[in-house]
């Protein structure tokens, strides 16, 4: 009986370790590996799981490199287009097309930066949703003041730690705020709201952009990139109507509990 209990506990520990490692990998911790142990069958499963994780890491690195290379190649035709635009006779039309081309160039640059960003290493990506929201609100307040646009925020004073990198989160807020500024008149109010459960949104007093905005082939690349960014960390981006009368773009990102946050912030 004693031997059976020991074998049972050993088996449970080995299987639990496999499950925990698989869960960490599914959450984007691509450096997670299991220390194979237990009976031969469990040991083999652990070794194969590690081999699979190594292969996934290799494929993702290769995909990022290819995406960056393809986006980089777009710069040459974009430069040629910029030169052609300079030859347009209508200065108003030239300015309008050039502005659109500059937007496209900025999106290509963002794709390159995103593709070349190294994969997460070590602990889970983590950011303070409230702090990043306050930072981006302060940044956009200058433009709002210059254009006479009402821009307000409702953000908790305490930290709201969520499972996403700070750089990705800041870029996502910038996309949402830029979208609100770009598609509403200067007189339309914009509001950024953060809740302590990991939900945040940007809403405006414009005319709305519809529930399909931001999907491929609709309103633009910016919202689509933002959507993929939050979905990569098991979050979501949804678009609906605001009480202000315009659009409301909602981010839902997993809130980290205290234990996970403390483990993430501890030195390796």
């Amino acid at each position: 009986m004693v031997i059976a209990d020991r074998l049972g506990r050993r088996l449970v520990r080995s299987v639990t370790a496999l499950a925990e490692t698989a869960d960490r990998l599914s959450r984007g911790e691509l450096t997670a590996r299991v220390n194979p142990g237990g009976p031969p069958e469990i040991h083999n499963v652990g070794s194969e799981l590690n081999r699979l994780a190594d292969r996934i890491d290799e494929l993702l690195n290769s995909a990022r490199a290819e995406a960056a290379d393809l986006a980089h190649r777009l710069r040459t035709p974009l430069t040629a287009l910029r030169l052609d635009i300079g030859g347009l006779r209508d200065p108003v039309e030239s300015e309008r097309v050039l502005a659109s081309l500059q937007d496209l160039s900025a999106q290509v640059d963002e794709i390159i930066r995103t593709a070349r960003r190294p994969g997460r290493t070590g602990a889970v990506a983590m950011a303070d949703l409230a702090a990043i929201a306050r930072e981006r609100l302060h940044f956009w307040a200058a433009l709002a003041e210059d254009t006479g646009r009402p821009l307000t925020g409702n953000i908790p004073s305490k930290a709201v730690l969520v499972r996403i990198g700070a750089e990705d989160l800041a870029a996502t807020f910038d996309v949402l705020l830029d979208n609100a500024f770009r598609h509403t008149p200067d007189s339309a109010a914009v509001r950024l709201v953060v809740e302590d459960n990991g939900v945040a949104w940007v809403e405006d007093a414009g005319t709305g952009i519809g529930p399909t905005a931001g999907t491929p082939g609709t309103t633009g690349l910016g919202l689509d990139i933002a959507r993929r960014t939050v979905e990569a960390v098991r979050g979501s981006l949804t678009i609906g109507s605001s009480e202000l009368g315009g659009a409301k773009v909602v981010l839902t990102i997993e809130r980290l509990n205290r234990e996970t946050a403390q483990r993430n912030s501890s030195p390796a």
Side-chain angles (χ1 to χ4, degrees):
M1 179 65 74
V2 173
I3 295 177
D5 287 343
R6 289 178 179 176
L7 290 174
R9 286 196 296 269
R10 183 186 178 194
L11 180 61
V12 168
R13 284 196 301 268
S14 299
V15 173
T16 300
L18 285 174
E20 290 176 348
T21 301
D23 181 65
R24 290 171 60 197
L25 287 169
S26 71
R27 292 176 180 272
E29 294 183 62
L30 299 183
T31 58
R33 298 292 185 274
V34 67
N35 184 17
E41 294 81 1
I42 302 298
H43 185 283
N44 290 339
V45 171
S47 298
E48 290 301 320
L49 180 61
N50 288 343
R51 189 173 293 109
L52 175 62
D54 290 338
R55 183 56 179 158
I56 290 173
D57 201 24
E58 290 175 3
L59 290 173
L60 287 176
N61 286 331
S62 176
R64 281 194 292 264
E66 290 177 5
D69 181 61
L70 289 173
H72 186 76
R73 294 181 188 179
L74 289 174
R75 284 177 168 171
T76 298
L78 287 176
T79 300
L81 280 174
R82 184 176 288 107
L83 295 175
D84 290 341
I85 289 171
L88 293 177
R89 296 180 179 180
D90 186 344
V92 176
E93 182 69 8
S94 176
E95 183 178 352
R96 184 188 67 80
V97 176
L98 182 59
S100 297
L101 181 62
Q102 289 172 339
D103 287 343
L104 179 58
S105 297
Q107 296 292 354
V108 169
D109 289 341
E110 178 60 27
I111 292 173
I112 294 174
R113 286 193 297 270
T114 300
R116 288 180 174 171
R117 188 176 303 154
R120 307 299 184 195
T121 58
V124 176
M126 179 179 69
D128 183 348
L129 182 64
I132 297 295
R134 283 193 295 270
E135 174 189 305
R136 304 324 297 161
L137 187 68
H138 177 74
F139 176 86
W140 285 86
L143 178 59
E145 183 177 357
D146 289 344
T147 56
R149 177 189 295 276
L151 175 63
T152 59
N154 185 359
I155 304 170
S157 57
K158 64 180 181 180
V160 180
L161 300 178
V162 291
R163 189 184 295 271
I164 189 173
E167 184 178 348
D168 289 340
L169 182 57
T172 299
F173 273 129
D174 283 343
V175 167
L176 269 55
L177 288 165
D178 175 70
N179 184 77
F181 275 51
R182 186 185 301 271
H183 297 290
T184 61
D186 290 345
S187 59
V190 174
R191 182 166 62 191
L192 193 164
V193 179
V194 173
E195 296 183 337
D196 59 9
N197 59 355
V199 176
W201 65 84
V202 172
E203 56 186 343
D204 61 66
T207 58
I209 54 178
T212 60
T215 55
T218 54
T219 62
L221 188 58
L223 282 178
D224 195 35
I225 291 176
R227 186 193 303 276
R228 291 200 302 270
T229 297
V230 296
E231 287 180 348
V233 291
R234 293 187 172 185
S236 65
L237 184 152
T238 57
I239 300 174
S241 300
S242 165
E243 294 179 356
L244 300 179
K248 178 179 181 180
V249 185
V250 182
L251 298 175
T252 303
I253 306 173
E254 181 183 352
R255 175 76 186 271
L256 294 176
N257 58 41
R258 182 177 302 177
E259 291 74 17
T260 302
Q262 289 176 342
R263 183 170 62 252
N264 192 57
S265 60
S266 299

